[in-house]
Amino acid sequence: MKEEFIELIARVLQVLSINKSWMTWNLFLAFIPLALSVWLFRTKRGRSWVWWLGCLVFYAFLPNAPYLLTDIIHLIDDIRAIQSVWMITLILIPLYLVVILAGLEAYVISLINLGHYLHRIGKSQWILGVELITHTLCAIGIYWGRFLRFNSWDFITQPDALLTKGVEELLGKQPLVIIAITFTILLGLHWIMKRVTLGFVTQLHKRIAIKPQRTNNPNAG
């Protein structure tokens, strides 16, 4: 029994060690557009050529955030490797959930920051349309990344292959179905998580606003 437990722990550690590299790298790529969204849309700066270049880089890297959804395919292999209900339930599945939710949250906050910028410049009516276009572009980017194995920097390193092979693939029936399903999933998850995130931020602001009032009240206590 003791030897079986030690062997199980060894398998779990081996799986976690293998996952650590790609999970860390994919999370790093997912947080690049989040950082760019803060710099582009939360700071008051003019729309110079640097700003526009930053927007292009932002959209090039943005699909990396929801792309983490597709990493669920690795979970099947990990379950087969561990073969322990308790280890899978208590360690493996929570780990995948945290990584996937972190990527989705980076995506949601990035679009919230973009919406904040559009509202600030008086283009609030564009927010929904921009979000739908962004979901479409990210669905295409996810397909390119998962099935064609393109990376965000391929826009610079091999733009000809990206445009020829990538565009050709989009004309097929199966890619269009996959992209449509991905778009629908992104639309639904973004709608839910956006409201949860904004609700949390609203409650946080209310608590922060109430505390100074209680502190400054001379009759308090």
Side-chain angles (χ1 to χ4, degrees):
M1 188 72 176
K2 183 179 179 181
E3 293 179 355
E4 292 178 356
F5 180 74
I6 294 174
E7 183 181 354
L8 175 61
I9 294 297
R11 286 204 303 270
V12 171
L13 292 176
Q14 182 181 10
V15 168
L16 294 179
S17 177
I18 295 172
N19 288 338
K20 182 179 67 175
S21 58
W22 67 260
M23 283 183 174
T24 303
W25 175 246
N26 285 357
L27 280 174
F28 170 74
L29 293 177
F31 279 91
I32 289 178
L34 176 59
L36 283 172
S37 73
V38 175
W39 179 73
L40 291 167
F41 309 129
R42 285 289 179 173
T43 58
K44 295 183 178 180
R45 58 179 67 250
R47 283 178 284 183
S48 63
W49 68 269
V50 176
W51 187 88
W52 286 109
L53 179 61
C55 285
L56 290 176
V57 176
F58 168 76
Y59 268 98
F61 278 89
L62 186 59
N64 289 294
Y67 177 86
L68 282 161
L69 270 171
T70 66
D71 286 328
I72 197 71
I73 63 174
H74 299 298
L75 179 61
I76 299 172
D77 294 332
D78 291 345
I79 289 175
R80 289 172 180 169
I82 293 178
Q83 295 181 344
S84 168
V85 175
W86 289 110
M87 291 296 180
I88 292 170
T89 305
L90 299 177
I91 297 178
L92 200 60
I93 292 178
L95 177 63
Y96 270 85
L97 283 176
V98 168
V99 171
I100 291 172
L101 287 175
L104 285 174
E105 189 64 19
Y107 180 69
V108 170
I109 296 176
S110 296
L111 287 187
I112 289 176
N113 290 338
L114 175 56
H116 171 81
Y117 173 78
L118 292 173
H119 178 74
R120 195 178 75 216
I121 64 175
K123 301 295 182 181
S124 300
Q125 69 276 15
W126 290 7
I127 293 177
L128 178 59
V130 169
E131 287 180 348
L132 293 176
I133 292 172
T134 302
H135 295 330
T136 303
L137 293 175
C138 284
I140 294 172
I142 291 171
Y143 178 82
W144 281 350
R146 174 53 64 188
F147 293 95
L148 305 185
R149 308 310 297 166
F150 282 119
N151 296 302
S152 298
W153 46 87
D154 287 333
F155 283 102
I156 303 297
T157 58
Q158 46 178 342
D160 51 343
L162 187 66
L163 292 176
T164 55
K165 185 178 179 181
V167 173
E168 286 176 3
E169 283 286 330
L170 296 181
L171 300 178
K173 183 177 179 180
Q174 183 177 356
L176 288 177
V177 171
I178 295 173
I179 291 170
I181 293 173
T182 304
F183 170 84
T184 304
I185 293 173
L186 283 181
L187 181 66
L189 291 176
H190 173 263
W191 187 86
I192 294 171
M193 294 187 66
K194 180 180 180 180
R195 272 141 190 81
V196 172
T197 302
L198 292 177
F200 174 78
V201 172
T202 300
Q203 290 298 321
L204 185 62
H205 285 169
K206 286 181 179 179
R207 291 182 181 181
I208 294 174
I210 291 173
K211 284 183 179 180
Q213 293 178 5
R214 289 179 176 176
T215 304
N216 296 332
N217 186 356
N219 297 322

